[in-house]
Amino acid sequence: MQIFKYILIGIALIGNGALSAAAQTLSDSPSAEAQHVRSERPTLKTNAMMIGVGATNMLDTYLSPEKYRGVDIRFLSHTRREKDSTAWINQFQHEGNIAYADNRSGNGGEMAGGYTFRYSLLRKWNVSLWSHPLQLIAGGTAAANIGMIYNTRNGNNPANARLSLHIEPTVGFDYPIGRYSSKRGIAFRSSDNAHYPVVLHYEASAPLFGLMFSPNYGQSYYEIFNRGNYDHNCVPTTVGSTPSLRQMLTLDFRLARTTWRIGYLGTIEQSQVNNLKTHIYTHSLMIGIVKRFRTQKQ
């Protein structure tokens, strides 16, 4: 019995010490958390909403061997999230477009539309060029696209779907132009008070590998979906079968207490799979507004 008494006393002492340690930890944790929040730097979020109009050139040999030329209208939401405490940028893009084009004789047309989502993880390097800060970026992009092309002349197989997922190496830079000011202009970084009249942005990406949907030569959609005749319709792609390039060059400037973005967006989309060739070339003038936010997690 004396042994059990000593064991119970020991358990009580250990429990009392554990409770004291836990209470001390709880009392210290709010101050540590507050110190962490204070030390955490804010996130700079930059969002540009743009619309564009331009020329397009379309070819889809599943529908017609003819090339079609016309007008393309598109919308682009371009968002970056970055911190000065890290060298990484998270970038999100939502892009939608519609287009109408005619053939050479003008007796037939094609209508196209699509949506593309891009997520990029980019690393930034800050250097100096001509006494101005230059930010270089490079990384990778995952691009998912869905769309269709409709030919107004075809009675049989009048449309072709577009569905793809690609991994794209991405490069670019940001460079301010003009004399810096502490009050007026566009803030180039969230960590300093330097403002510039104009900021130049450039970005380019090209698909390296991925997957895309394509009917085979002479195969109808009735055979694919109604009869279930699969014929290499989910195609792995490489830079050889989809040699494409997307690039954007824009300028940010302040006017009427608003930050504007204007520039050029060019896309060269090509594919040669299942004995079918496609291409869509667009050259668009883009314009929109830019909003910048500083957020901090609580």
Side-chain angles (χ1 to χ4, degrees):
M1 295 298 293
Q2 194 73 14
I3 295 175
F4 288 115
K5 178 179 178 181
Y6 291 144
I7 293 175
L8 290 175
I9 292 174
I11 292 174
L13 291 173
I14 293 172
N16 187 34
L19 288 173
S20 300
Q24 183 68 23
T25 302
L26 289 174
S27 64
D28 292 341
S29 59
S31 60
E33 183 179 356
Q35 184 178 0
H36 173 72
V37 171
R38 286 194 300 268
S39 63
E40 185 175 3
R41 296 190 176 184
T43 299
L44 176 62
K45 178 181 176 181
T46 304
N47 174 250
M49 308 282 283
M50 295 180 285
I51 57 173
V53 179
T56 186
N57 182 317
M58 299 188 296
L59 170 69
D60 190 331
T61 57
Y62 180 77
L63 301 175
S64 170
E66 288 284 336
K67 297 177 182 178
Y68 290 76
R69 294 176 174 85
V71 178
D72 178 272
I73 301 173
R74 64 185 55 224
F75 167 81
L76 174 62
S77 172
H78 186 285
T79 303
R80 280 186 183 176
R81 295 177 182 173
E82 56 185 308
K83 293 180 180 179
D84 290 324
S85 58
T86 178
W88 297 97
I89 299 174
N90 290 287
Q91 182 171 279
F92 306 85
Q93 296 185 67
H94 301 271
E95 185 175 353
N97 79 294
I98 55 174
Y100 182 81
D102 289 318
N103 59 15
R104 291 179 298 175
S105 59
N107 59 0
E110 283 187 345
M111 294 180 289
Y115 165 77
T116 304
F117 171 75
R118 291 182 174 87
Y119 169 72
S120 305
L121 182 61
L122 308 171
R123 196 187 192 283
K124 59 183 178 181
W125 293 268
N126 293 310
V127 298
S128 180
L129 178 64
W130 297 320
S131 302
H132 283 59
L134 171 66
Q135 180 170 276
L136 303 173
I137 59 173
T141 298
N145 171 264
I146 184 171
M148 64 167 293
I149 299 179
Y150 174 78
N151 190 293
T152 59
R153 295 191 64 187
N154 288 3
N156 194 19
N157 295 333
N160 192 14
R162 297 172 59 86
L163 185 64
S164 64
L165 175 64
H166 288 113
I167 302 300
E168 305 176 350
T170 303
V171 297
F173 67 83
D174 303 319
Y175 185 69
I177 300 174
R179 291 187 175 183
Y180 73 88
S181 170
S182 60
K183 294 182 180 180
R184 295 183 178 180
I186 302 171
F188 187 68
R189 295 174 184 163
S190 60
S191 60
D192 54 39
N193 294 322
H195 294 68
Y196 296 88
V198 176
V199 177
L200 179 67
H201 304 276
Y202 176 76
E203 185 179 316
S205 60
L208 184 62
F209 62 89
L211 290 171
M212 68 175 292
F213 167 81
S214 174
N216 216 315
Y217 181 80
Q219 184 185 26
S220 68
Y221 276 79
Y222 175 80
E223 294 177 87
I224 299 174
F225 295 105
N226 289 74
R227 301 183 63 180
N229 292 340
Y230 175 81
D231 190 8
H232 199 242
N233 301 122
C234 185
V235 187
T237 61
T238 64
V239 66
S241 58
T242 57
S244 305
L245 176 66
R246 179 182 185 270
Q247 54 183 347
M248 182 167 57
L249 179 66
T250 60
L251 286 172
D252 289 3
F253 61 94
R254 293 282 295 177
L255 181 64
R257 297 183 179 181
T258 303
T259 302
W260 296 85
R261 178 171 292 182
I262 187 171
Y264 164 79
L265 174 61
T267 60
I268 299 173
E269 301 177 19
Q270 302 178 120
S271 69
Q272 185 171 358
V273 296
N274 290 345
N275 297 312
L276 298 172
K277 292 183 179 181
T278 68
H279 77 227
I280 298 180
Y281 308 144
T282 61
H283 304 279
S284 302
L285 175 65
M286 308 293 294
I287 187 170
I289 59 174
V290 181
K291 297 289 185 181
R292 287 181 171 85
F293 310 92
R294 287 183 176 87
T295 60
Q296 185 168 348
K297 294 182 179 181
Q298 299 298 326

